[in-house]
Amino acid sequence: MKATAIVLATIALAFMATAPDPAVAQQTKTEGTVKLTPFEARGITLSTIYTVDGKFAEKHGVDVPAAFSLAAPRREGQEIHAQAKPSGGGPIKIYFTTDDGKKSIFSSLQIITYSLKTDDPQKRLEVGDYFAIELLKKLGTNQNTRLNIRRPIKIGDLPAAEVVGNFVNKDGDQLLVRLVALAKPGTRDGIIGIAVGHPRQGRIKKVEDIFETSASLAFDTLEFK
């Protein structure tokens, strides 16, 4: 998987450079549909639905090998900004920012794609786990990057590989990251969701708080089309 690791390094470096930049979020826009939310238990009444499929691919000039949709929670005090074909690869990146002029980032979710060479369900999970770990290794610098959680989970009814860690970005911020690899049934295509939480916004105090970020909650609603 040497060639794959090189590709992942390129993705991670580009991702690391762009994720903390509020100016990017302020300038980007990808259309979504506002609907009732799957987050009622958290007091969130609305969400924005993003569908990334053939129409999205044609409109934005990006590859979408595995079409999907997800719901982005619309929280009080937050704005949602989505960018098609973001730096670092993949079809879409979604930023959850403050609703003031600074547009400081609470969390962000980038979706990247990968291809598999096996149809075996267990092997698919192992490959996804490998990709997630390799991406984590490339975030920040090795001495500052930590692995906190590594486990198999489910997104809906589909098996997935989850990795949670933390790293220091180029600005010296300590960030939390949740990477989830998911393979589309009946294909050799998969996606990795990269949810990053920014503790300086005050909503992340411990590792487990990454799961309550808007970016992480959004990925948990993902469904293949």
Side-chain angles (χ1 to χ4, degrees), residues 126-137:
E126 291 172 3
V127 171
D129 176 72
Y130 168 82
F131 286 164
I133 286 292
E134 288 301 303
L135 270 171
L136 177 62
K137 289 178 182 178

Side-chain angles (χ1 to χ4, degrees), residues 3 9 12 32 40 49 51-52 54 56 99 110 113 127 136 148 174-175 181 184 195 205 213-215 221:
E40 289 92 345
I49 307 300
T51 299
V52 181
F56 182 97
D99 60 0
Q110 185 158 354
T113 62
V127 171
L136 177 62
N148 298 307
Q174 180 75 240
L175 305 181
K184 184 175 182 179
K205 304 297 184 184
T213 62
S214 295
T221 69

